[in-house]
């Protein structure tokens, strides 16, 4: 499995708008890809969020993300998302490969 991890800071009074944007973006992603996403809010800093998305494989992701990014609605949603971010904070993005480790007891 291919995994994308994003970390960013959302203004604490903009969480409802953030959730709305993520729901609409998720609908667009699911038109092109099989994706499962988890959103985590830090207990220590309520502006800090982590987004972890898993995809079947990296090839499928790369093929589909080009189409997703061409969607006008997606461009609008990203602009809205950026307007909710805490000033001076950047989005971090990392790629992972999920490995299954089976434990024997």
């Amino acid at each position: 499995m291919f995994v994308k991890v994003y970390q960013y800071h959302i203004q604490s009074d903009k969480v409802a708008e953030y959730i709305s944007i993520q729901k609409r973006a998720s609908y667009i992603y699911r038109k092109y890809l099989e994706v499962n996403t988890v959103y985590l809010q830090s207990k220590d800093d309520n502006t800090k969020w982590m987004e972890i998305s898993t995809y079947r494989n990296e090839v499928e992701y790369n093929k589909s993300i080009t189409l997703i990014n061409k969607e006008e609605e997606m461009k609008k949603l990203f602009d809205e998302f950026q307007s909710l971010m805490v000033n001076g904070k950047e989005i971090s993005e990392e790629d992972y490969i999920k490995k299954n480790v089976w434990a024997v007891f």
Side-chain angles (χ1 to χ4, degrees):
M1 262 188 188
F2 179 61
V3 181
K4 296 288 283 184
V5 177
Y6 298 94
Q7 191 172 327
Y8 42 80
H9 291 260
I10 300 296
Q11 298 171 48
S12 56
D13 61 335
K14 303 290 185 185
V15 172
E17 293 95 327
Y18 163 74
I19 291 169
S20 175
I21 289 167
Q22 292 296 18
K23 285 179 181 178
R24 292 181 285 158
S26 178
Y27 176 77
I28 294 169
Y29 266 74
R30 290 176 194 279
K31 287 187 344 186
Y32 297 95
L33 283 165
E34 183 178 316
V35 57
N36 292 303
T37 304
V38 174
Y39 302 94
L40 304 172
Q41 184 179 29
S42 172
K43 287 178 62 178
D44 298 325
D45 177 356
N46 69 351
T47 70
K48 185 176 180 180
W49 288 80
M50 184 177 287
E51 178 180 331
I52 304 169
S53 297
T54 57
Y55 305 92
R56 193 173 307 162
N57 60 59
E58 189 172 2
V59 172
E60 180 181 303
Y61 170 82
N62 287 327
K63 188 171 78 176
S64 299
I65 197 66
T66 303
L67 299 171
I68 291 167
N69 287 336
K70 288 181 181 177
E71 291 255 355
E72 278 303 313
E73 180 66 13
M74 202 64 197
K75 293 173 187 176
K76 291 176 189 173
L77 289 172
F78 188 68
D79 288 343
E80 286 180 43
F81 171 81
Q82 286 186 306
S83 76
L84 304 179
M85 291 180 59
V86 173
N87 287 334
K89 298 286 188 174
E90 299 290 323
I91 301 171
S92 73
E93 174 181 349
E94 296 181 281
D95 297 343
Y96 295 89
I97 300 297
K98 181 180 176 187
K99 299 291 185 182
N100 291 321
V101 179
W102 301 99
V104 178
F105 297 96

